[in-house]
Amino acid sequence: HSKDIDNLRIHDNVIGPALSAVSGVGARATGTRFVYRNLFDLREPIAGYRPGVGAEVFRFGHLFKGDVGAGPFYFYQNTVLVTDAKAQAISMLFRAAPKPGVPIQPRWFLNNVVVVEPAGANRGVGEGRPLSFVPDDADAGSAVPADDQALRSDGNLWVRGQAGKAPAFRCISNRGRCRHKAFADLRSLASSTGFETHSELAESAGFAPGPNHARSGVGARISPTSKARGRGVRLPTHLPDSRAGDEARPDAGARPVADPPLFVGRFGREGY
């Protein structure tokens, strides 16, 4: 959280379960942070409520908690697996707008695979819960994608297994500054805001068969036919591990199709 810690790189980890995988302090100045090529598996519930507060002690964790800090934040080439997300898949990345006259620091969400699962057979995702939020029209840089744009979200694969009733994306503003409050699909979102122009909304991530996650029966490597193949946008060379020399558009997600399973940490034996 210190402004003296610059060029912080968090990459090639398997993280989960957790109440909040990435958190920060929005009011405190920070250096530049890069979070890339990580697998966040938040599908397993974890103790999150005090006994006696409710009927259930366990709850599902979120990717982001609060804000992610006041400095530049780049989140790219990650795979995020969440259950009962309550619209927290990406919204926190764009939540805290600066004070008037203060430039918005870059916040980029590029080339990720985000899979949102229902919490149970009878609890479909989308009962008033969008997959994610986007910034409102008053935030600078929210109209045209560009390498120097402050706020970007593109080249992602969004997966919602059950369509539900809610629109896929919704404007984050509660101050009535958005031309469009909700977006049912990526085409309308892209044409109105410039976000998610090269992204995909699907019902399945198309993970490859092979060593499987013990609890869910599916790993986190994309198959040759996955819609994550070639879904990503070219990353600027100033981002670590941008692989800018690739001729084709990169795959989305943390584990490209050609990579072997990742055997590390608490879940190493489960064969991601």
Side-chain angles (χ1 to χ4, degrees), residues 54-81:
E56 179 59 70
V57 174
F58 293 92
R59 71 175 178 87
F60 295 98
H62 299 314
L63 176 59
F64 298 120
K65 177 184 178 182
D67 191 27
V68 292
F73 192 100
Y74 301 92
F75 190 94
Y76 57 98
Q77 301 289 153
N78 298 287
T79 296
V80 181
L81 309 173

Side-chain angles (χ1 to χ4, degrees), residues 83-250:
T83 296
D84 196 24
K86 291 186 171 62
Q88 297 296 330
I90 181 180
S91 63
M92 293 301 182
L93 196 65
F94 295 137
R95 173 149 292 180
K99 296 179 180 179
V102 178
I104 294 178
Q105 294 294 326
R107 296 191 179 189
W108 291 9
F109 193 92
L110 304 176
N111 298 359
N112 303 290
V113 173
V114 180
V115 181
V116 180
E117 299 178 345
N122 297 320
R123 295 183 60 187
V125 175
E127 298 293 334
R129 302 172 183 174
L131 279 175
S132 178
F133 292 112
V134 294
D136 61 49
D137 299 336
D139 289 331
S142 61
V144 180
D147 284 351
D148 58 352
Q149 181 183 343
L151 304 178
R152 295 188 64 188
S153 186
D154 201 4
N156 304 296
L157 176 64
W158 296 92
V159 179
R160 180 166 59 177
Q162 298 184 11
K165 297 179 180 179
F169 298 88
R170 184 180 295 277
C171 181
I172 198 170
S173 177
N174 58 3
R175 298 179 293 274
R177 302 192 298 191
C178 298
R179 291 189 303 272
H180 304 277
K181 297 299 181 183
F183 305 92
D185 53 57
L186 289 176
R187 179 177 297 180
S188 59
L189 173 63
S191 62
S192 299
T193 68
F195 282 80
E196 310 292 350
T197 302
H198 303 95
S199 297
E200 180 82 21
L201 179 61
E203 294 185 358
S204 171
F207 288 133
N212 291 327
H213 186 281
R215 293 182 303 278
S216 68
V218 65
R221 293 177 298 128
I222 59 174
S223 70
T225 59
S226 170
K227 291 187 177 181
R229 292 295 306 275
R231 176 53 49 193
V233 295
R234 294 290 298 274
L235 297 174
T237 56
H238 73 271
L239 294 183
D241 197 32
S242 64
R243 304 187 182 183
D246 295 342
E247 293 294 332
R249 287 169 53 184

